Amino acid sequence: EKREVQVACREAMLTCKSPLRDEGREGNITIGLHELALVVVPEVRSRLMQLRMNQIMREFVRHDSDRDCCLSQAELVQVGLHFGLDHHVIGEMTASLGEDLQASGVSFETTLDIVCRSRERLQRKSRERERELKMSLNICEGSFREFRTDILVLYNIFHRWDMHGNDMVANGKLSHEEMMLMLRETGLLPKSLKDIIEVEAMLSAISESGQRECTFGDFLDLARKIRLYKQQHSRQKHLRLFERYDKDHSQELSVSELALLLSDLDIAPRNRAEQQELADMIHAADEDGSGTIDFREFQDLTQRIDERLKQLRYETEIEVALGMGFTEQQLRDFRYVFDSLDDDDSDRLNEQEVKNALGLLQKSISQTAFDAAFPQLDADNSGELEFLEFLELMRLLRDSEGLFSDEPQMLERKVVLLDTRIMRRALELFHISKNYLVSLSREDIVDLFCSYFDISKEADLHAKLGVKTIADLYEVARRREEALKEKEAVEAAEPHHAS
């Protein structure tokens, strides 16, 4: 799509009546807003529709239950969900057409138009949100361009830590400790003690004089320094591998060659979500749409993939831990102890190391209880546990032996007090696109959450939904999603033609 858009732009611009040559860049031409709106945008939109037509056609046929070449409103929503489009977005786009689709049904041409334009709207919303952040936080243009691909994710994490505490009031600054915790969550914090000390020194140098507090702009400066530090220390290793796979000495790698190289760097996805994220990032790194990646793009890509996979794994860990009733602080304690004993960086602990971990956590259990619990989690009989298995062991020991016997983390009673991350995860269970949710402000997330759970912002969550813990909330979300599917299946089975 990227290559096709570039071709479409150039061809469309050449058809403009009076394109201007850009003297500053050889081969470039410039056009006015009028030509952009009336010539270039329609041509790009047409090309993208052509590229996406077959994929959307497959979903159209799959959901056309009565084979009349038209979809009901409910079937259209299911097609939209396949492409990560929330039913609110589909509804808004449908309404903008000004047609009574419920009575006449939705043709393929209309479905194609709605899906493509809805995707445009989501992209615009993300871009607008990025620009709003740039203006409100006074981020310079250079930093904005450098961090634009992940600025929303980074800011959402920063804002959540800024809201951390009993007063739930943000002041736009994080303490030294909060910055270090955020670096871990964003995947920027190195693992070795030597490198962590180096990062601590960078942070101390960036912090405001004497106050040891940092703004979001300070965080971006620190992230840039950490990335540069990591790239400098890995440059020779990366260059040797790059040259080994660059068989034709073109100083570029194809996507297939890159995939093999990444496996040599032990950058490997563990599940489908990570596979998809990896694929998206590889294609995004190909800035010019050439289908190949040079060494500069490669080194930047490996850094960002490493960060993103760590982010995804932290998100999984926090979701699992909260679902088990552990607090985020307990999760951090578990992870710290686990990493301290994982000498070979395998992300696994053997039986003796797990016992040592319990000792570091100052928890003691009988050998009989340990011997009964450990094999339940060691499914492959390797004698080792990965971190999520270690978490499950902690849960088993808590439930059977009374370890970590604090009350499970209770859900806030009001929606407005809920952690944004918890609301996002609950909404993801309705198959709403993660990218769409990331682009929303906290206020938008609250409104969407209230809409899906049919609850007001000030209502008592415990009483209204019958939930007390985060796990309870996720279970309610799953049940509501199943109920929505059943309702839409019934509606889809009903005739949607007036005749």
Side-chain angles (χ1 to χ4, degrees):
E1 288 187 357
K2 189 184 294 183
R3 287 195 296 272
E4 195 67 25
V5 166
Q6 289 177 335
V7 171
C9 284
R10 180 156 292 277
E11 290 178 354
M13 290 173 74
L14 290 173
T15 65
C16 295
K17 291 183 178 179
S18 54
L20 302 175
R21 296 289 167 183
D22 185 349
E23 302 298 334
R25 299 178 66 183
E26 185 179 352
N28 252 14
I29 58 176
T30 61
I31 60 171
L33 177 61
H34 186 266
E35 289 89 349
L36 174 69
L38 298 183
V39 179
V40 178
V41 169
E43 178 61 25
V44 169
R45 181 175 284 149
S46 174
R47 295 284 185 98
L48 287 176
M49 281 189 174
Q50 291 172 22
L51 287 171
R52 296 166 178 171
M53 185 178 294
N54 288 341
Q55 188 181 17
I56 296 174
M57 173 64 85
R58 283 196 295 271
E59 290 306 306
F60 182 91
V61 171
R62 188 162 75 89
H63 288 89
D64 181 16
S65 56
D66 54 5
R67 300 294 183 263
D68 63 351
C69 298
C70 281
L71 301 182
S72 68
Q73 189 79 14
E75 289 169 338
L76 176 62
V77 167
Q78 289 302 309
V79 171
L81 284 173
H82 177 81
F83 295 102
L85 301 171
D86 171 48
H87 77 269
H88 288 87
V89 178
I90 292 289
E92 290 170 7
M93 189 57 64
T94 301
S96 70
L97 296 175
E99 300 180 26
D100 185 4
L101 300 180
Q102 192 64 38
S104 60
V106 189
S107 68
F108 173 69
E109 290 74 15
T110 302
T111 300
L112 178 64
D113 193 35
I114 288 174
V115 170
C116 289
R117 287 178 182 268
S118 295
R119 290 175 69 172
E120 284 181 33
R121 179 171 290 191
L122 289 187
Q123 287 293 319
R124 273 201 305 277
K125 192 172 186 66
S126 292
R127 302 292 83 80
E128 288 166 3
R129 176 96 171 105
E130 291 163 1
R131 282 286 172 188
E132 287 171 5
L133 283 179
K134 177 181 182 294
M135 298 297 290
S136 64
L137 300 174
N138 197 27
I139 300 171
C140 70
E141 186 65 27
S143 291
F144 179 68
R145 291 190 178 190
E146 179 183 354
F147 289 95
R148 186 165 193 173
T149 56
D150 49 10
I151 197 167
L152 291 180
V153 171
L154 295 176
Y155 180 74
N156 285 335
I157 297 173
F158 181 92
H159 183 67
R160 180 161 45 74
W161 280 108
D162 192 18
M163 295 283 287
H164 189 65
N166 295 328
D167 55 1
M168 292 289 287
V169 175
N171 67 356
K173 296 179 182 179
L174 298 186
S175 68
H176 189 99
E177 180 186 2
E178 288 169 335
M179 286 284 282
M180 292 299 290
L181 291 170
M182 181 176 172
L183 288 175
R184 175 179 289 278
E185 185 172 345
T186 55
L188 282 160
L189 190 67
K191 200 166 185 181
S192 76
L193 179 60
K194 174 180 174 294
D195 290 337
I196 291 175
I197 292 173
E198 189 69 30
V199 169
E200 288 267 14
M202 294 180 198
L203 177 55
S204 296
I206 287 177
S207 300
E208 291 183 354
S209 55
Q211 297 182 25
R212 295 175 68 83
E213 287 191 321
C214 298
T215 65
F216 184 64
D218 293 330
F219 173 79
L220 295 183
D221 288 341
L222 180 60
R224 181 186 299 109
K225 291 177 184 294
I226 293 173
R227 286 174 175 174
L228 181 60
Y229 172 82
K230 287 183 173 181
Q231 288 181 2
Q232 288 173 341
H233 282 70
S234 61
R235 177 178 172 79
Q236 292 306 314
K237 175 184 177 182
H238 287 175
L239 188 57
R240 285 195 300 271
L241 283 171
F242 188 90
E243 290 174 343
R244 183 196 304 170
Y245 282 91
D246 181 19
K247 303 295 186 184
D248 58 0
H249 305 292
S250 63
Q251 299 185 341
E252 293 180 326
L253 296 180
S254 67
V255 171
S256 58
E257 290 171 327
L258 178 63
L260 293 171
L261 197 163
L262 290 175
S263 66
D264 267 4
L265 288 171
D266 292 327
I267 299 177
R270 297 177 181 174
N271 51 51
R272 291 195 61 172
E274 290 187 3
Q275 286 176 342
Q276 184 59 52
E277 194 77 28
L278 193 65
D280 291 345
M281 294 184 74
I282 288 173
H283 289 297
D286 179 17
E287 295 175 355
D288 56 6
S290 63
T292 58
I293 289 177
D294 62 25
F295 181 71
R296 182 192 63 80
E297 292 173 328
F298 161 72
Q299 199 169 29
D300 183 61
L301 174 65
T302 55
Q303 173 70 38
R304 292 178 182 273
I305 287 177
D306 181 62
E307 291 172 19
R308 187 60 186 139
L309 291 181
K310 287 177 179 175
Q311 286 177 30
L312 289 173
R313 287 163 190 172
Y314 184 87
E315 290 172 10
T316 300
E317 289 170 9
I318 191 67
E319 179 189 338
V320 170
L322 294 177
M324 291 177 177
F326 290 120
T327 65
E328 189 165 356
Q329 180 59 54
Q330 285 175 316
L331 170 69
R332 289 198 293 269
D333 291 342
F334 294 153
R335 180 43 99 170
Y336 176 79
V337 166
F338 189 95
D339 289 344
S340 299
L341 295 169
D342 181 23
D343 294 329
D344 58 359
D345 291 336
S346 64
D347 205 33
R348 286 172 169 268
L349 296 184
N350 61 35
E351 191 169 339
Q352 184 56 52
E353 288 169 333
V354 172
K355 291 177 182 177
N356 293 342
L358 288 170
L360 287 176
L361 291 166
Q362 298 182 343
K363 306 295 180 182
S364 60
I365 62 170
S366 67
Q367 184 66 41
T368 303
F370 183 88
D371 290 343
F374 191 92
Q376 294 183 48
L377 283 307
D378 184 18
D380 57 359
N381 295 316
S382 64
E384 296 179 318
L385 298 184
E386 295 179 351
F387 182 70
L388 290 182
E389 294 173 328
F390 177 76
L391 265 185
E392 179 63 20
L393 177 64
M394 298 301 102
R395 186 193 67 78
L396 282 174
L397 295 177
R398 179 198 65 193
D399 294 347
S400 63
E401 298 294 309
L403 299 186
F404 321 107
S405 57
D406 299 337
E407 283 290 318
Q409 184 169 9
M410 302 300 288
L411 204 61
E412 297 286 354
R413 283 189 172 273
K414 293 185 178 180
V415 177
V416 290
L417 298 178
L418 281 178
D419 188 320
T420 307
R421 177 175 49 199
I422 293 172
M423 288 189 285
R424 279 203 192 96
R425 176 54 190 155
L427 289 168
E428 284 175 24
L429 295 172
F430 291 93
H431 302 291
I432 302 175
S433 164
K434 181 178 288 189
N435 290 336
Y436 171 57
L437 292 173
V438 166
S439 73
L440 299 180
S441 66
R442 175 175 170 81
E443 292 73 22
D444 291 335
I445 289 285
V446 169
D447 289 340
L448 197 60
F449 182 93
C450 290
S451 172
Y452 269 89
F453 285 91
D454 190 24
I455 190 172
S456 70
K457 298 177 185 179
E458 298 298 328
D460 186 329
L461 275 170
H462 293 205
K464 178 75 173 177
L465 300 180
V467 298
K468 290 185 178 180
T469 66
I470 296 166
D472 293 341
L473 178 65
Y474 292 162
E475 183 56 35
V476 168
R478 292 186 185 94
R479 290 203 303 267
R480 282 180 171 258
E481 167 60 9
E482 288 300 319
L484 281 174
K485 280 184 179 179
E486 291 174 6
K487 179 181 177 184
E488 287 162 358
V490 170
E491 291 176 355
E494 296 173 353
H496 50 262
H497 285 293
S499 59

